[in-house]
Amino acid sequence: MASEISPKAEISPKAKIGENCKIFPFVYIEDDVEIGDNCIIFPFVSICDGSRIGNNNKIHQGSVIAALPQDFNFRGAKSYVRIGDNNVIRENVVINRGTQQDGVTVIGNGNFLLEGTHISHDTVVGNHCVFGYGVKIAGDCEIGDGVIFSSSAIQNANTRVGRLSLIQAGCTFSHDVPPFLVAGGKPLKYGGPNTTMMNEAGIDPKVQKHIANAYRLLFHGKTSTFDVINQIKEQVPDSPEIRDIIRFLESTQRGIMCK
């Protein structure tokens, strides 16, 4: 089915737009843009060069996709934003493209970005995440699947959040947040396992207890992260989730929250 495009939208003839899209008045789309099928682009959205947008996405008023990176290292390189399928991007969201040549900012599938969210350059977001009002994600961050950010949370540059974690409202953090937990407060503190999301994900209750035991060793012990990794391997029964935690701890570059 042909797309419905308002004559009041300003769209480059070089842009590629899929089938059955609806593009409202006053949308601005630049040359090097690809949009999949069944997308809805509401008024006053700007979709800039380097945008690669999948199917079934809704982008609401005032949002800017593939804005130039707010990075002093940017020298005009050709870079991208890649957005998957079935995302909802609400009003006034800004997503910056990558900084270096062929750099990419990635938004996966099924994410919900509420009003005022900002995803900075070269950040990688997984699937089925929620970003509350005014959440700010700095450059070069990684966010796993199923992460929830409550309103006004700030993630500083080069940090990671593991899958199925919850970041509570108003907190700021500069270290990695492991998977399957709740984190909040100023300074950021461990708030226990994220049982709600683990239940939603179908994680066995026994495994959830093992995860809680692993985090007791990490956050309530007085040993280094290196020693905690060995303790988890020795004392906590193996499972894919425990292996996820171990890999996350082993690969940290910025250090783990509260450690």
Side-chain angles (χ1 to χ4, degrees), residues 30-46:
E30 294 185 333
D31 295 347
D32 184 21
V33 170
E34 298 178 9
I35 299 174
D37 300 335
N38 305 307
C39 291
I40 301 175
I41 315 297
F42 288 94
F44 303 106
V45 170
S46 295

Side-chain angles (χ1 to χ4, degrees), residues 10-43:
E10 185 174 343
I11 301 175
S12 167
K14 296 180 181 179
K16 299 178 181 178
I17 298 173
E19 297 183 350
N20 198 35
C21 293
K22 185 171 184 179
I23 299 179
F24 281 78
F26 312 117
V27 169
Y28 173 72
I29 298 178
E30 294 185 333
D31 295 347
D32 184 21
V33 170
E34 298 178 9
I35 299 174
D37 300 335
N38 305 307
C39 291
I40 301 175
I41 315 297
F42 288 94

